[in-house]
Amino acid sequence: MIKAAILTISDKGSKGERVDGTGPVIRKILEDNEYKVEYYKIIPDEMKEIEKELKYLSDNLKIELVLTNGGTGFSERDVTPEATRNVIEKYVPGIGEVMRGKSLEITPKAMLSRAIAGIRKKTLIINLPGSPKGAAENLGFVIPALKHGIEIMVGKASECARK
């Protein structure tokens, strides 16, 4: 099973002023697709704290898939993509492109998402929207390809070509 972590980025959620409705939705999708959620945490929209948490999940816990949610919009406090960019070693543009492209079929507001994805060591980090509906839709668009990509990243698979 692939080890996964969910990191909810929310000022209000981290203070207990808002219930996280998105984390549990992500957890269900992951578990339904045979991922093992080993870590879940809510933290505020603080660049250094997000960076620290992403490094901890990758470097110390060796989580293979980290899904953030929240902090990908236009608000001054939305810094999740910047924090992610600061810690990744390889940018994976296709994931964000697919999420935005497929989401545009649902709403024109999808073009406003700044979500990115990338690899740090042997951890794939993907930014998802903060809303339960948006996170579920976006994860649904990319999850069919993730297992294979993660297996290649960690050295468990090597062939991408079809036979």
Side-chain angles (χ1 to χ4, degrees):
M1 265 194 172
I2 293 172
K3 297 184 295 183
I6 301 166
L7 192 59
T8 297
I9 316 297
S10 169
D11 286 334
K12 289 183 179 179
S14 69
K15 295 176 192 170
E17 297 171 2
R18 175 185 293 157
V19 174
D20 177 21
T22 306
V25 168
I26 294 170
R27 177 185 290 274
K28 175 151 182 26
I29 293 169
L30 288 172
E31 290 173 349
D32 287 350
N33 284 274
E34 300 179 1
Y35 287 78
K36 184 174 189 224
V37 178
E38 294 196 347
Y39 190 90
Y40 165 76
K41 189 172 184 179
I42 303 173
I43 62 172
D45 293 87
E46 293 290 341
M47 180 93 71
K48 294 298 178 198
E49 194 162 345
I50 299 167
E51 290 174 6
K52 180 181 171 189
E53 202 66 31
L54 293 174
K55 288 176 183 176
Y56 173 71
L57 293 169
S58 172
D59 303 358
N60 297 86
L61 295 187
K62 311 237 184 285
I63 299 292
E64 295 156 321
L65 176 64
V66 175
L67 297 175
T68 70
N69 68 92
T72 61
F74 280 23
S75 161
E76 185 177 337
R77 300 278 301 153
D78 290 337
V79 296
T80 304
E82 289 74 22
T84 302
R85 191 174 295 118
N86 288 344
V87 303
I88 62 173
E89 299 159 344
K90 293 180 179 178
Y91 177 49
V92 184
I95 293 173
E97 291 166 2
V98 165
M99 291 191 306
R100 273 183 289 280
K102 292 286 206 177
S103 292
L104 274 169
E105 297 172 10
I106 299 167
T107 175
K109 293 178 184 174
M111 69 179 76
L112 304 178
S113 172
R114 299 179 318 103
I116 69 165
I119 297 168
R120 176 180 178 87
K121 300 189 187 313
K122 294 193 182 290
T123 300
L124 175 61
I125 301 167
I126 301 174
N127 302 151
L128 295 171
S131 76
K133 180 180 182 294
E137 289 170 352
N138 280 263
L139 182 53
F141 300 143
V142 300
I143 203 160
L146 295 183
K147 183 178 179 196
H148 182 66
I150 291 167
E151 287 173 346
I152 291 170
M153 177 185 70
V154 300
K156 292 181 183 174
S158 59
E159 286 294 320
C160 284
R162 291 184 178 178
K163 295 182 180 186

